[in-house]
Amino acid sequence: MRTSRIYVGFFKASVLFVFWLTKHTVDSTPTVVTAEYGGSVEVPCQYDLKFRDNTKYWCKGIVYELCKIVVRGGQASDRASISDDKEAGVFTVTMTSLRKSDDDVYWCVISSPGRNTHTRVRLVISQTGITPTDTTPTNSSLIQGRGEVSWWETLRWIIFIFMLCCLLSTHIIVWRMKAAQKPQQPKQSQYENIYE
């Protein structure tokens, strides 16, 4: 009985992990934005209209869970601000007086119950001027930025595969334990004593 509870627990954990891996992202946001050193940049972050009243923010850091909030909607920092067009479902992040230290990974984030909705954006600061942005929509793509592979997303898939292996192993163990618990009938000898 206890082993079947463990099996159900592993199954539920695996299902929740699959939902976590396939999290919602902000609908259509550029994956890479290039801007000139000392200039400014605007990054449009599109979202589903059901999030129009949710708090939006711009976060900096290669790993979303550890990123540092640069600016929140309705507030402004010294070099960043967010404007929200609730009818179009787009909030726009504006950064000014760009520095080389601004060259990093950022996240368009919408605060929502449970897990926040977010999309990765790579900001590249160049010395030569602004180039067109890549407006290819992303949905948790493994290829990010300048052909880089996001180690965090790769790690999530490794963990997912590991959990599937644990689930399969648990299933096999439970099956073997159930098979071992079945009462076994004693085997009759092929050669019975004919002298009895």
Side-chain angles (χ1 to χ4, degrees):
M1 188 62 139
R2 184 172 176 227
T3 55
S4 62
R5 287 186 197 156
I6 292 171
Y7 176 71
V8 169
F10 269 113
F11 179 74
K12 287 180 180 178
S14 297
V15 169
L16 289 174
F17 192 72
V18 168
F19 284 126
W20 179 70
L21 280 174
T22 58
K23 68 189 181 303
H24 294 5
T25 58
V26 180
D27 289 338
S28 180
T29 302
T31 57
V32 180
V33 176
T34 305
E36 184 179 357
Y37 177 85
S40 63
V41 67
E42 291 186 352
V43 181
C45 301
Q46 293 185 328
Y47 59 88
D48 191 304
L49 291 178
K50 67 182 178 184
F51 297 118
R52 73 173 54 156
D53 294 323
N54 295 44
T55 303
K56 286 85 176 178
Y57 58 94
W58 181 243
C59 195
K60 178 180 180 179
I62 197 159
V63 178
Y64 167 72
E65 286 75 8
L66 303 174
C67 70
K68 179 183 174 189
I69 296 173
V70 176
V71 64
R72 290 183 190 273
Q75 301 174 351
S77 70
D78 57 341
R79 297 185 305 116
S81 63
I82 292 178
S83 61
D84 190 5
D85 184 346
K86 294 184 180 187
E87 297 303 314
V90 178
F91 71 92
T92 304
V93 178
T94 304
M95 292 182 68
T96 58
S97 304
L98 294 171
R99 306 171 185 159
K100 194 63 183 164
S101 61
D102 293 327
D103 189 314
D104 207 336
V105 173
Y106 291 84
W107 301 89
C108 294
V109 183
I110 299 171
S111 180
S112 57
R115 183 154 173 83
N116 291 341
T117 303
H118 56 279
T119 297
R120 184 182 193 272
V121 178
R122 176 75 169 99
L123 177 60
V124 178
I125 306 300
S126 74
Q127 300 289 336
T128 56
I130 300 172
T131 60
T133 61
D134 174 9
T135 56
T136 307
T138 68
N139 239 352
S140 299
S141 165
L142 285 178
I143 306 300
Q144 305 284 342
R146 305 172 186 164
E148 302 169 356
V149 176
S150 169
W151 65 271
W152 177 244
E153 293 194 19
T154 304
L155 179 62
R156 286 193 316 195
W157 282 107
I158 291 169
I159 292 170
F160 173 69
I161 291 167
F162 175 75
M163 288 190 70
L164 284 179
C165 291
C166 288
L167 181 64
L168 180 62
S169 299
T170 304
H171 178 68
I172 291 169
I173 290 169
V174 169
W175 176 73
R176 286 188 176 198
M177 289 176 72
K178 285 183 179 181
Q181 290 176 353
K182 288 183 181 178
Q184 296 188 5
Q185 298 175 355
K187 291 184 178 180
Q188 301 239 344
S189 173
Q190 283 182 325
Y191 308 103
E192 293 184 18
N193 191 348
I194 57 173
Y195 299 107
E196 289 181 3

